Amino acid sequence: YYEAVGRRKKTVARVRLYIKNLKNIKKGEIFVNDKKIEEIYPSYKVEFLKTPLKLTDNLERFAISVKVNGGGLNGQLEAIVHGISRALILVDNSYKKVLKQYKLLTRDPRKKERRKVGTGGKARREKQSPKR
């Protein structure tokens, strides 16, 4: 198998692309945390998840297993796409040009801003001025 790590915000996704069928995963199927991808995400998001596979014509070539933790559903989805893209480059380096063109190899660097002391619990809230 080919293994890569995808990241987004607080989410980390370990992606494995298997060339052969596994016991519980057939080629063309994607399992996330031992569940079918269709059970976790709605169909329009599953289509976004398959974009790196479509761009490189590998939809039915691999059985894909993903372990993901942290973050919310969207962050996890983007981390999985990042991981699949990075794993595809390990398979064939010629995919890099296509994936880079669609910005699937770039990790989204935005993170949650830390809260500042004395701002009342929020990152950008200003200190309350005195009433009188």
Side-chain angles (χ1 to χ4, degrees), residues 1-90:
Y1 59 84
Y2 298 94
E3 185 175 39
V5 176
R7 293 187 181 93
R8 168 82 167 92
K9 284 189 171 182
K10 294 269 186 190
T11 307
V12 178
R14 189 184 76 209
V15 178
R16 286 183 177 175
L17 305 180
Y18 292 93
I19 298 167
K20 296 180 180 178
N21 289 344
L22 293 169
K23 292 177 222 164
N24 56 345
I25 307 175
K26 296 182 184 99
K27 285 186 177 183
E29 287 186 327
I30 303 173
F31 273 70
V32 177
N33 295 342
D34 301 323
K35 291 181 185 175
K36 275 193 169 184
I37 193 74
E38 289 82 12
E39 294 175 25
I40 302 171
Y41 298 105
S43 60
Y44 65 93
K45 294 204 176 191
V46 172
E47 290 305 309
F48 169 67
L49 188 109
K50 292 180 179 178
T51 48
L53 298 169
K54 285 180 186 171
L55 290 171
T56 56
D57 295 325
N58 286 318
L59 264 177
E60 299 297 320
R61 185 175 172 194
F62 299 106
I64 302 174
S65 168
V66 181
K67 297 287 185 209
V68 65
N69 58 0
L73 285 180
N74 273 343
Q76 287 183 352
L77 186 77
E78 290 184 28
I80 293 168
V81 171
H82 187 229
I84 290 173
S85 302
R86 289 175 88 178
L88 283 170
I89 287 177
L90 297 175

Side-chain angles (χ1 to χ4, degrees), residues 86-117:
R86 289 175 88 178
L88 283 170
I89 287 177
L90 297 175
V91 175
D92 187 357
N93 206 16
S94 65
Y95 296 147
K96 189 172 187 175
K97 189 176 181 184
V98 179
L99 295 170
K100 199 166 191 174
Q101 186 178 354
Y102 286 89
K103 296 185 173 124
L104 295 175
L105 296 175
T106 310
R107 183 196 182 282
D108 194 338
R110 296 176 292 172
K111 287 197 168 186
K112 189 174 191 283
E113 191 174 336
R114 75 171 201 89
R115 68 167 294 273
K116 278 59 170 195
V117 178

